[in-house]
Structures are given as structure tokens and as C-alpha cells.
Amino acid sequence: MPHSLVLNLLPQSPIPPGFLTGRHLHSLFLSLVSSVDRSLGDELHKNQANKAFALSPLQRIERRRSSVRYQYRKPIPGGTPCWWRIALLDDALFGNLQQLWLNLNPNQAWHLGPADLQITSILGTAQSTQPWANFCNYAQLYEQASETERKLTLQFCTPTAFRQRKYDTTFPTGNLAFGSLIRRWNQHSDLEFPRELLEAIFPSAYELKTEIVRDPRSQFEHTGAKTDPRNQFVGCIGQVTFQILGNVEPVTLKQINALADYALYAGIGRKTTMGMGMVRRLPCKT
């Protein structure tokens, strides 16, 4: 069962930008896992492929900001309320971490670089003020999916890119975006979807731009020298509306719509365990 959990956090001291990168948040997640299951934490650390979770960047709670921030140039001050999304894609991982969710100690400090964080609460159900918290099992995702809707709008909230052979590409074609989703769906769900459904999905409208996420620790940032490509991630953000074209059976329409809904949990593309490829479905404009 996919879960999208939102942790409300309170840093006790400033968090420097260099410790707000995806790799540090990835390490924080592994620390949470290891606190209740050391062997599972070690397993997740060693297994670099096909991980059953996705993370968001750390977010300041700001009333006027609805977009997701994925890069910081200044520290987050101590005492600033923040939230952080952890998506879990299978029941086994959620079950192994259940002790953490049920026995939450708000006085326990978790470390993100030099800062201590307190987890003040965890949201696991849909909230009017927090669109990233939710849960739904795979059977329900499929049953609730439309078998008539042919337009699907996805919002790419953090930079998203795809690996093609040895290189990255940033444009989310139907084959790349939904190929990423169907791969994760078939890995973690008992309801396997055929890859042939990708042949019917095409982008029909988009508002995209490319963004570069740099590692603030890079020496190149401080010397003014050209940025080392190894210390940056280039991806797209924005919206894409996909159209399902051709003579497509209702069952195929239902499967594609289920995958679009699944994006909230699974993310799309590369480095979803480090905050990239954070995607959600939006209502299509009529």
C-alpha cells in the first residue's frame, strides 16, 4: 500500500544550506529506519536500485508559498516550522517502520548536519492544507481510476530527469514519464500492467523550464569557477498534459489513469530518493 507521510519538524538550531541537499535528507531517512530496524537500514543503504521509497526536499511552512522549494542559498533558522514528505511504496517497509510512527517521541532529536530536529507530528491522511499527505492501496488506486478520462495533467514540482543509456534527458515524454511509473507499479503491486499501454500516451500541452540543482558544498560555487557537472542535477519543472490517443480499451484507460494518480507516491524519473522527480496529478482544465 503506498503511503505519503508528511513529517512536521522543528529545527532547534539553524540548518546550513549544505546540509539541505538530497543526500543529507537521504541519510536522515536511513537514520530513522535504522532506529527501529538496523538491518533494514543497512539493506536500504546497500541496495541502490529499485528502492521502495521517495523523499521530498525539506520545506519551510510558509502561508504564501504553494510551490515546493528544492534549493536553499541561506540557512533555515532555528525554530522555523518545516515539513518533509516520505513516500513508502510497499506494505513491508511501512510495517517495519510502524514502531516509529506509533511511538513518536517529540523530545527525541534527529540530526541533520549540525542541527537537531524534533518531529512534532506525522500526517498520513489527506489534508485540505497539505496535498502531499495521503494513502491508498494498489487495488483502490486501480478501482478508483477513470476508464474514460483521456487527458492527464502532471505537475513536476522538483527537477525531473530520465536516464537514457549513458545520458540524462529532461523532457518528460509519455514513454519516459509513464514508463517510470509503470516500472515502480509493477515492482511493488500485485496488479501488473502491460508496457504496451505506453504506446498510447503523448504530451499535448506543456509549460516547462529546466532547472539546475547544485550541491552547495562544491568548491566551484565559492571560487567562481565553472561548476563541475558532477555536482549538479539538471531537470524540468512545470506542467505537462498528456493525451491518450487512438482506439484504446477502457481497461487500458483505467490503467493509465491509475498510474497518473500513483505519481503522488512514486515520483517520476531519477533521484526520487533524494527529493527529485516529485510529481502530482492536477485536475485537467476543461
Side-chain angles (χ1 to χ4, degrees), residues 2 52 64 86 110 164 182 203 249 254:
R64 296 182 180 180
I86 297 175
W110 301 94
Q164 285 194 307
I182 197 172
E249 296 292 331
K254 195 174 186 68

Side-chain angles (χ1 to χ4, degrees), residues 221-236:
E221 291 292 304
H222 305 291
T223 63
K226 186 177 179 180
T227 302
D228 187 339
R230 293 170 298 180
N231 295 317
Q232 65 183 29
F233 179 84
V234 182
C236 70

Side-chain angles (χ1 to χ4, degrees), residues 136-144 185 189 191:
C136 189
N137 65 44
Y138 286 94
Q140 288 174 324
L141 276 172
Y142 178 69
E143 290 302 323
Q144 295 171 5
W185 177 283
S189 167
L191 304 170

Side-chain angles (χ1 to χ4, degrees), residues 67-88:
S67 60
V68 176
R69 186 189 295 269
Y70 46 86
Q71 194 159 232
Y72 290 87
R73 297 187 180 275
K74 297 180 180 179
I76 293 180
T80 302
C82 299
W83 64 268
W84 182 39
R85 193 285 296 267
I86 297 175
L88 306 174

Side-chain angles (χ1 to χ4, degrees), residues 142 182 185-186 191-195 197 254-256 258-259:
Y142 178 69
I182 197 172
W185 177 283
N186 285 346
L191 304 170
E192 186 168 349
F193 293 167
R195 289 190 60 84
L197 61 78
K254 195 174 186 68
Q255 290 169 341
I256 296 172
L259 290 175

